[in-house]
Coordinates of all heavy atoms in Angstrom, one line a residue:
Chain A
Q221 N -20.7 -3.8 -14.3 CA -19.6 -3.1 -13.6 C -20.0 -1.9 -12.8 O -19.2 -1.3 -12.1 CB -18.5 -2.8 -14.6 CG -18.7 -1.6 -15.5 CD -19.6 -2.0 -16.7 OE1 -20.0 -3.1 -16.9 NE2 -19.7 -1.0 -17.6
D226 N -22.4 4.3 -8.1 CA -22.7 4.9 -9.4 C -24.2 4.9 -9.6 O -24.8 5.8 -10.2 CB -22.1 4.0 -10.5 CG -20.6 4.1 -10.5 OD1 -20.0 5.1 -10.0 OD2 -19.9 3.2 -11.1
R229 N -26.0 7.6 -7.5 CA -25.7 9.0 -7.9 C -26.2 9.2 -9.4 O -26.8 10.3 -9.6 CB -24.2 9.2 -7.8 CG -23.7 9.3 -6.4 CD -22.2 9.6 -6.4 NE -21.9 10.8 -7.1 CZ -21.9 12.0 -6.6 NH1 -22.2 12.2 -5.3 NH2 -21.7 13.0 -7.3
D230 N -25.9 8.3 -10.3 CA -26.1 8.6 -11.7 C -27.5 8.1 -12.2 O -28.0 8.7 -13.1 CB -25.0 8.0 -12.5 CG -23.6 8.5 -12.1 OD1 -23.5 9.5 -11.5 OD2 -22.6 7.8 -12.4
T235 N -27.4 12.0 -4.7 CA -26.0 12.4 -4.7 C -25.5 12.7 -3.3 O -24.3 13.2 -3.2 CB -25.7 13.6 -5.6 OG1 -26.6 14.7 -5.2 CG2 -26.0 13.3 -7.1
G236 N -26.2 12.3 -2.3 CA -25.8 12.5 -1.0 C -24.6 11.6 -0.6 O -23.7 12.0 0.2
K238 N -21.1 10.2 -1.4 CA -20.0 10.9 -2.2 C -19.0 9.9 -2.6 O -18.7 8.9 -1.9 CB -19.4 12.0 -1.3 CG -20.3 13.0 -0.7 CD -21.1 13.7 -1.8 CE -22.0 14.8 -1.2 NZ -22.9 15.4 -2.3
E239 N -18.4 10.2 -3.8 CA -17.2 9.4 -4.2 C -15.9 10.2 -3.8 O -15.6 11.2 -4.4 CB -17.2 9.2 -5.7 CG -15.9 8.4 -6.1 CD -15.8 8.1 -7.6 OE1 -16.8 7.7 -8.2 OE2 -14.7 8.4 -8.2
G240 N -15.2 9.7 -2.8 CA -13.9 10.3 -2.4 C -12.8 9.5 -3.0 O -11.7 10.1 -3.2
C241 N -12.9 8.2 -3.2 CA -11.8 7.4 -3.6 C -12.2 6.3 -4.5 O -11.4 5.8 -5.3 CB -11.0 6.8 -2.4 SG -12.0 5.6 -1.4
D245 N -11.5 3.3 0.8 CA -10.5 3.8 1.7 C -11.0 5.1 2.4 O -10.3 5.6 3.3 CB -9.2 4.1 1.0 CG -8.6 2.8 0.5 OD1 -8.6 1.8 1.2 OD2 -8.2 2.8 -0.7
C246 N -12.1 5.7 2.0 CA -12.4 7.0 2.6 C -13.8 7.0 3.3 O -14.1 7.9 4.1 CB -12.3 8.1 1.6 SG -13.8 8.3 0.5
I276 N -28.0 8.5 3.2 CA -28.1 9.7 4.0 C -29.5 10.4 3.7 O -30.1 11.0 4.6 CB -26.9 10.7 3.7 CG1 -27.0 11.9 4.6 CG2 -26.9 11.1 2.2 CD1 -26.8 11.6 6.0
E277 N -30.0 10.2 2.5 CA -31.2 10.9 2.1 C -32.4 10.3 3.0 O -33.4 11.0 3.1 CB -31.5 10.7 0.7 CG -30.7 11.6 -0.3 CD -29.4 10.9 -0.7 OE1 -29.0 9.8 -0.1 OE2 -28.7 11.5 -1.6
L285 N -34.9 16.0 12.0 CA -33.5 15.5 11.8 C -33.2 14.4 12.8 O -33.8 14.4 13.9 CB -32.5 16.6 12.0 CG -32.5 17.7 11.0 CD1 -31.4 18.8 11.4 CD2 -32.2 17.2 9.6
Q289 N -27.7 14.0 13.3 CA -27.6 15.2 12.3 C -27.7 16.5 13.1 O -27.0 17.4 12.8 CB -28.8 15.1 11.3 CG -28.7 13.9 10.4 CD -29.9 13.8 9.5 OE1 -31.1 13.7 10.0 NE2 -29.7 13.7 8.2
L293 N -24.7 19.5 13.7 CA -24.9 21.0 13.5 C -24.5 21.8 14.7 O -23.8 22.7 14.7 CB -26.3 21.3 13.0 CG -26.7 20.7 11.7 CD1 -28.2 21.0 11.4 CD2 -25.8 21.3 10.5
A296 N -20.8 21.9 15.4 CA -19.9 22.3 14.2 C -19.0 21.1 13.8 O -17.8 21.3 13.6 CB -19.1 23.5 14.6
L298 N -18.8 19.6 11.2 CA -18.4 19.6 9.8 C -17.8 20.9 9.3 O -18.2 21.9 9.9 CB -19.6 19.3 8.9 CG -20.8 20.2 9.0 CD1 -21.6 20.3 7.7 CD2 -21.8 19.7 10.1
Q299 N -16.9 20.8 8.5 CA -16.4 22.1 7.8 C -16.8 22.1 6.4 O -17.8 22.7 6.0 CB -14.9 22.2 8.0 CG -14.5 22.7 9.5 CD -13.0 22.7 9.7 OE1 -12.2 23.0 8.8 NE2 -12.6 22.4 10.9
C300 N -16.1 21.4 5.5 CA -16.6 21.4 4.1 C -17.8 20.5 4.0 O -18.6 20.8 3.1 CB -15.5 20.9 3.2 SG -15.2 19.1 3.1
G301 N -18.0 19.5 4.8 CA -19.2 18.7 4.7 C -19.2 17.5 3.8 O -20.1 16.7 3.7
I302 N -18.1 17.3 3.0 CA -18.1 16.2 2.0 C -18.1 14.8 2.7 O -18.7 13.9 2.1 CB -17.0 16.4 1.0 CG1 -17.2 15.5 -0.3 CG2 -15.6 16.0 1.6 CD1 -18.0 16.2 -1.3
T304 N -19.4 14.2 5.6 CA -20.5 14.2 6.6 C -21.5 13.1 6.4 O -21.9 12.4 7.3 CB -21.1 15.6 6.7 OG1 -20.1 16.6 7.0 CG2 -22.1 15.6 7.9
L308 N -22.2 10.2 9.1 CA -23.5 10.1 9.8 C -24.0 8.7 9.7 O -24.5 8.1 10.7 CB -24.5 11.1 9.3 CG -24.2 12.6 9.7 CD1 -25.0 13.5 8.8 CD2 -24.6 12.8 11.2
E323 N -15.0 7.0 23.8 CA -14.4 7.8 22.8 C -13.5 6.9 21.9 O -13.6 7.1 20.6 CB -13.5 8.9 23.4 CG -12.8 9.8 22.4 CD -11.7 10.6 22.9 OE1 -11.7 11.1 24.1 OE2 -10.7 10.9 22.1
R327 N -13.8 6.4 17.8 CA -12.7 6.6 16.9 C -12.4 5.4 16.1 O -12.1 5.5 14.9 CB -11.4 7.1 17.7 CG -11.5 8.5 18.3 CD -10.3 8.9 19.0 NE -10.4 10.3 19.5 CZ -10.2 11.4 18.7 NH1 -9.8 11.2 17.5 NH2 -10.3 12.6 19.3
Y328 N -12.4 4.2 16.7 CA -12.0 3.0 15.9 C -13.2 2.7 14.9 O -12.9 2.3 13.8 CB -11.7 1.8 16.8 CG -10.2 1.9 17.1 CD1 -9.7 2.5 18.2 CD2 -9.3 1.2 16.3 CE1 -8.4 2.6 18.5 CE2 -7.9 1.3 16.6 CZ -7.5 1.9 17.7 OH -6.1 2.0 18.0
A331 N -12.9 4.9 11.9 CA -11.5 5.0 11.2 C -11.6 4.8 9.7 O -10.8 5.2 9.0 CB -10.6 3.9 11.8
L334 N -12.7 9.0 6.4 CA -11.7 10.1 6.4 C -12.3 11.4 6.5 O -13.3 11.7 5.8 CB -10.7 10.0 5.2 CG -9.9 8.7 5.0 CD1 -9.1 8.9 3.7 CD2 -9.1 8.5 6.2
R336 N -10.7 15.4 6.4 CA -9.4 16.1 6.3 C -9.6 17.5 6.9 O -8.6 18.2 7.1 CB -9.0 16.3 4.8 CG -7.6 16.8 4.5 CD -6.5 15.9 5.1 NE -5.3 16.2 4.4 CZ -4.1 15.7 4.7 NH1 -4.0 14.9 5.8 NH2 -3.0 15.9 4.0
C337 N -10.8 17.9 7.2 CA -11.0 19.3 7.7 C -10.9 19.4 9.3 O -10.3 20.3 9.8 CB -12.3 19.8 7.3 SG -12.6 20.1 5.6
T338 N -11.5 18.5 10.0 CA -11.9 18.8 11.4 C -10.9 18.2 12.4 O -11.0 18.6 13.6 CB -13.2 18.2 11.8 OG1 -13.1 16.8 11.7 CG2 -14.3 18.7 10.8
G339 N -10.0 17.3 12.0 CA -9.2 16.6 12.9 C -10.0 15.7 13.8 O -9.4 15.2 14.8
Y340 N -11.2 15.5 13.5 CA -12.2 14.5 14.1 C -12.7 14.9 15.5 O -13.6 14.3 16.0 CB -11.5 13.1 14.2 CG -11.0 12.6 12.9 CD1 -9.7 12.6 12.6 CD2 -11.9 12.1 12.0 CE1 -9.2 12.1 11.4 CE2 -11.5 11.5 10.8 CZ -10.1 11.6 10.5 OH -9.7 11.1 9.3
N341 N -12.1 16.0 16.2 CA -12.5 16.3 17.5 C -14.0 16.5 17.6 O -14.7 15.8 18.4 CB -12.0 17.7 17.9 CG -10.6 17.6 18.6 OD1 -9.8 16.9 18.2 ND2 -10.5 18.4 19.7
K342 N -14.5 17.4 16.8 CA -16.0 17.7 17.0 C -16.9 16.6 16.5 O -18.0 16.5 16.9 CB -16.2 19.1 16.3 CG -15.6 20.2 17.1 CD -15.8 21.6 16.4 CE -14.9 22.7 17.1 NZ -15.4 23.0 18.5
V344 N -16.3 13.4 16.9 CA -16.3 12.5 18.0 C -17.2 13.0 19.1 O -18.1 12.3 19.7 CB -14.9 12.1 18.6 CG1 -15.0 11.3 19.8 CG2 -14.1 11.5 17.5
D345 N -17.0 14.3 19.4 CA -17.9 15.0 20.4 C -19.4 14.9 20.1 O -20.2 14.6 20.9 CB -17.6 16.5 20.5 CG -16.3 16.8 21.3 OD1 -15.9 15.9 22.1 OD2 -15.7 17.8 21.1
Chain B
R310 N -24.8 26.8 11.4 CA -24.5 27.5 10.1 C -25.7 27.5 9.2 O -26.4 26.5 9.2 CB -23.3 26.8 9.5 CG -23.5 25.4 9.2 CD -22.2 24.6 9.0 NE -21.6 24.8 7.7 CZ -20.4 24.3 7.4 NH1 -19.7 23.7 8.2 NH2 -19.9 24.5 6.2
G313 N -26.1 24.4 7.0 CA -25.9 23.2 7.8 C -26.8 22.0 7.4 O -26.4 20.9 7.1
V317 N -26.1 18.0 6.3 CA -26.3 16.7 7.1 C -27.4 15.9 6.5 O -27.6 14.7 7.0 CB -26.6 17.0 8.6 CG1 -25.4 17.7 9.2 CG2 -27.8 17.8 8.7
G319 N -27.5 15.4 3.0 CA -27.1 14.9 1.7 C -27.6 15.7 0.5 O -27.5 15.3 -0.6
Y323 N -22.2 19.4 -4.4 CA -20.8 19.7 -4.6 C -20.5 19.6 -6.1 O -21.4 19.4 -6.9 CB -20.0 18.6 -3.8 CG -20.2 18.8 -2.3 CD1 -21.3 18.4 -1.6 CD2 -19.2 19.5 -1.5 CE1 -21.5 18.6 -0.2 CE2 -19.3 19.7 -0.2 CZ -20.5 19.3 0.5 OH -20.6 19.5 1.9
A325 N -19.4 17.4 -8.1 CA -19.7 16.2 -8.9 C -21.2 16.0 -8.9 O -21.7 15.0 -9.5 CB -19.0 15.0 -8.4
D326 N -22.0 16.8 -8.2 CA -23.4 16.5 -7.9 C -24.4 17.2 -8.9 O -25.6 17.1 -8.8 CB -23.8 16.9 -6.5 CG -23.0 16.1 -5.4 OD1 -22.4 15.1 -5.8 OD2 -23.0 16.6 -4.3
R415 N -19.9 7.1 -19.0 CA -18.5 7.0 -18.5 C -17.7 5.9 -19.1 O -16.6 6.0 -19.3 CB -18.6 6.8 -16.9 CG -19.1 8.0 -16.2 CD -19.5 7.7 -14.8 NE -18.4 7.9 -13.9 CZ -18.5 7.9 -12.6 NH1 -19.7 7.6 -12.0 NH2 -17.5 8.1 -11.8
H500 N 0.3 15.9 -0.1 CA -0.9 16.4 -0.8 C -1.9 17.0 0.2 O -2.0 16.6 1.3 CB -1.6 15.3 -1.6 CG -2.5 15.7 -2.6 ND1 -3.8 16.0 -2.4 CD2 -2.3 16.0 -3.9 CE1 -4.4 16.5 -3.5 NE2 -3.5 16.5 -4.4
Q501 N -2.6 18.0 -0.3 CA -3.7 18.6 0.5 C -4.7 17.6 1.0 O -5.2 17.8 2.1 CB -4.4 19.7 -0.3 CG -3.5 20.9 -0.8 CD -2.6 20.6 -2.0 OE1 -2.5 19.5 -2.5 NE2 -2.0 21.6 -2.5
G502 N -5.0 16.6 0.2 CA -5.8 15.5 0.7 C -7.2 15.8 0.9 O -7.9 15.1 1.6
I504 N -11.1 15.5 0.5 CA -11.8 14.3 0.3 C -12.6 14.3 -1.1 O -12.9 13.3 -1.7 CB -12.8 13.9 1.4 CG1 -12.0 13.9 2.8 CG2 -13.4 12.6 1.2 CD1 -10.8 13.0 2.9
P506 N -12.6 14.8 -4.9 CA -11.8 15.0 -6.1 C -12.3 16.1 -6.9 O -13.5 16.5 -6.8 CB -12.0 13.6 -6.8 CG -12.5 12.7 -5.8 CD -13.3 13.5 -4.8
I553 N -17.9 23.1 -1.9 CA -16.6 22.5 -2.1 C -16.2 21.6 -1.0 O -16.3 21.9 0.2 CB -15.5 23.7 -2.3 CG1 -14.1 23.1 -2.2 CG2 -15.7 24.8 -1.3 CD1 -13.0 24.1 -2.5
G554 N -15.7 20.4 -1.4 CA -15.4 19.4 -0.4 C -13.9 19.4 0.0 O -13.2 18.5 -0.2
G555 N -13.5 20.5 0.5 CA -12.1 20.7 1.0 C -11.2 21.2 -0.1 O -11.4 20.9 -1.3
F557 N -7.8 23.4 0.9 CA -6.6 23.7 1.7 C -5.5 24.3 0.8 O -4.3 24.1 1.0 CB -6.1 22.3 2.3 CG -7.2 21.6 3.0 CD1 -7.6 20.4 2.5 CD2 -7.8 22.1 4.1 CE1 -8.7 19.7 3.1 CE2 -8.8 21.4 4.8 CZ -9.3 20.2 4.2
R586 N -9.5 9.5 -7.6 CA -8.5 9.8 -6.5 C -7.1 9.6 -7.0 O -6.2 10.4 -6.6 CB -8.8 8.8 -5.3 CG -7.9 9.0 -4.1 CD -7.8 10.4 -3.6 NE -9.0 11.0 -3.3 CZ -9.2 12.2 -2.8 NH1 -8.1 13.0 -2.7 NH2 -10.4 12.7 -2.6
Y665 N -0.7 25.0 -0.4 CA -1.2 24.2 0.7 C -1.0 24.9 2.0 O 0.1 25.2 2.5 CB -0.5 22.8 0.7 CG -0.9 21.8 1.8 CD1 -2.2 21.9 2.3 CD2 0.0 20.9 2.3 CE1 -2.6 21.0 3.3 CE2 -0.4 20.0 3.3 CZ -1.7 20.0 3.8 OH -2.1 19.1 4.7
I776 N -15.8 27.3 2.6 CA -15.2 26.0 2.6 C -15.2 25.4 4.0 O -14.9 24.3 4.3 CB -13.7 26.2 2.1 CG1 -13.1 24.9 1.7 CG2 -12.8 26.8 3.2 CD1 -11.9 25.1 0.8
S938 N -16.5 28.0 17.4 CA -16.5 26.5 17.1 C -15.8 26.3 15.7 O -15.0 25.3 15.6 CB -17.9 26.0 16.9 OG -18.6 26.0 18.2
Y939 N -16.1 27.1 14.8 CA -15.4 26.9 13.5 C -13.9 27.3 13.5 O -13.1 26.8 12.7 CB -16.2 27.6 12.3 CG -17.4 26.8 12.0 CD1 -18.7 27.2 12.5 CD2 -17.3 25.6 11.4 CE1 -19.8 26.5 12.3 CE2 -18.5 24.8 11.2 CZ -19.7 25.2 11.6 OH -20.8 24.4 11.4
E941 N -12.0 27.0 16.3 CA -11.4 25.8 16.9 C -11.2 24.7 15.9 O -10.2 24.0 15.9 CB -12.3 25.2 18.1 CG -12.3 26.1 19.3 CD -13.6 25.9 20.1 OE1 -14.4 25.0 19.8 OE2 -13.8 26.7 21.1
G942 N -12.2 24.5 15.1 CA -12.1 23.4 14.0 C -11.0 23.7 13.1 O -10.3 22.7 12.7
Q943 N -10.7 24.9 12.8 CA -9.5 25.2 11.9 C -8.2 24.8 12.7 O -7.3 24.2 12.0 CB -9.4 26.7 11.6 CG -10.5 27.2 10.7 CD -10.4 26.6 9.3 OE1 -9.3 26.4 8.8 NE2 -11.5 26.4 8.6
H945 N -7.9 22.5 15.1 CA -7.8 21.0 15.2 C -7.4 20.5 13.8 O -6.5 19.6 13.8 CB -9.2 20.5 15.5 CG -9.8 20.9 16.8 ND1 -11.2 21.0 17.0 CD2 -9.2 21.3 18.0 CE1 -11.4 21.5 18.3 NE2 -10.2 21.6 18.9
G946 N -8.0 20.9 12.8 CA -7.8 20.4 11.5 C -6.4 20.6 11.0 O -5.7 19.8 10.4
V949 N -3.9 18.4 12.8 CA -4.0 17.0 12.4 C -3.3 16.8 11.0 O -2.6 15.8 10.8 CB -5.4 16.4 12.5 CG1 -5.5 15.1 11.8 CG2 -5.8 16.3 13.9
Q950 N -3.5 17.8 10.1 CA -2.8 17.7 8.9 C -1.3 17.7 9.1 O -0.5 17.0 8.5 CB -3.2 18.8 7.9 CG -4.6 18.7 7.4 CD -5.0 19.8 6.4 OE1 -4.3 20.7 6.1 NE2 -6.3 19.7 5.9
E958 N 2.7 11.0 5.8 CA 2.4 11.4 4.5 C 3.6 11.6 3.6 O 4.5 12.3 4.1 CB 1.5 12.6 4.5 CG 0.1 12.3 5.1 CD -0.8 13.5 5.2 OE1 -0.7 14.3 4.2 OE2 -1.5 13.7 6.1
F973 N -5.7 6.6 -1.0 CA -5.8 6.8 0.4 C -5.3 5.6 1.2 O -5.2 5.8 2.5 CB -7.2 7.2 0.8 CG -7.6 8.6 0.6 CD1 -8.8 9.0 0.0 CD2 -6.7 9.6 0.9 CE1 -9.2 10.3 -0.1 CE2 -7.0 11.0 0.8 CZ -8.2 11.3 0.2
I978 N -3.2 9.5 5.3 CA -3.7 10.7 6.1 C -4.2 10.1 7.4 O -4.7 9.0 7.5 CB -4.7 11.6 5.4 CG1 -6.1 11.0 5.3 CG2 -4.2 11.9 3.9 CD1 -7.1 12.0 4.8
P979 N -4.1 10.9 8.5 CA -4.5 10.4 9.8 C -6.0 10.0 9.8 O -6.9 10.7 9.2 CB -4.3 11.6 10.7 CG -3.3 12.5 10.0 CD -3.6 12.3 8.6
V980 N -6.3 8.9 10.5 CA -7.7 8.4 10.7 C -8.0 8.7 12.2 O -7.1 9.0 13.0 CB -7.8 6.9 10.4 CG1 -7.5 6.7 8.9 CG2 -7.0 6.1 11.3
A981 N -9.3 8.6 12.5 CA -9.8 9.1 13.8 C -9.1 8.4 14.9 O -8.8 8.9 16.0 CB -11.3 8.9 13.9
L984 N -5.6 9.5 16.7 CA -5.4 10.8 17.4 C -6.1 10.9 18.7 O -7.1 10.3 19.0 CB -6.1 11.8 16.5 CG -5.5 11.9 15.0 CD1 -6.5 12.6 14.1 CD2 -4.2 12.7 15.0
P985 N -5.5 11.8 19.6 CA -6.2 12.2 20.8 C -7.1 13.4 20.4 O -7.1 13.9 19.3 CB -5.1 12.6 21.7 CG -4.1 13.2 20.8 CD -4.2 12.4 19.5
M986 N -7.8 13.9 21.4 CA -8.5 15.2 21.2 C -7.4 16.2 21.1 O -6.5 16.3 22.0 CB -9.4 15.5 22.4 CG -10.7 14.6 22.4 SD -11.8 15.2 21.0 CE -13.2 14.1 21.3
I987 N -7.5 17.1 20.1 CA -6.6 18.2 20.0 C -7.1 19.3 20.8 O -8.3 19.6 20.8 CB -6.5 18.7 18.5 CG1 -6.2 17.5 17.6 CG2 -5.4 19.8 18.4 CD1 -4.9 16.7 17.8

Side-chain angles (χ1 to χ4, degrees):
Chain A
Q221 75 277 5
D226 293 339
R229 292 180 54 85
D230 302 338
T235 56
K238 306 299 181 187
E239 179 183 310
C241 67
D245 298 313
C246 80
I276 185 63
E277 286 89 350
L285 293 180
Q289 291 173 311
L293 294 177
L298 55 148
Q299 283 176 35
C300 81
I302 196 88
T304 308
L308 285 167
E323 181 194 326
R327 287 184 179 277
Y328 273 90
L334 298 182
R336 190 62 157 171
C337 293
T338 66
Y340 305 102
N341 269 42
K342 290 179 187 292
V344 174
D345 283 338
Chain B
R310 60 200 282 172
V317 297
Y323 292 79
D326 298 341
R415 290 165 91 168
H500 198 274
Q501 294 81 351
I504 307 300
I553 168 174
F557 315 109
R586 177 54 52 183
Y665 180 27
I776 202 164
S938 295
Y939 287 104
E941 289 156 4
Q943 290 293 326
H945 300 150
V949 167
Q950 289 183 359
E958 294 180 34
F973 276 140
I978 78 172
V980 300
L984 301 159
M986 285 290 184
I987 307 301

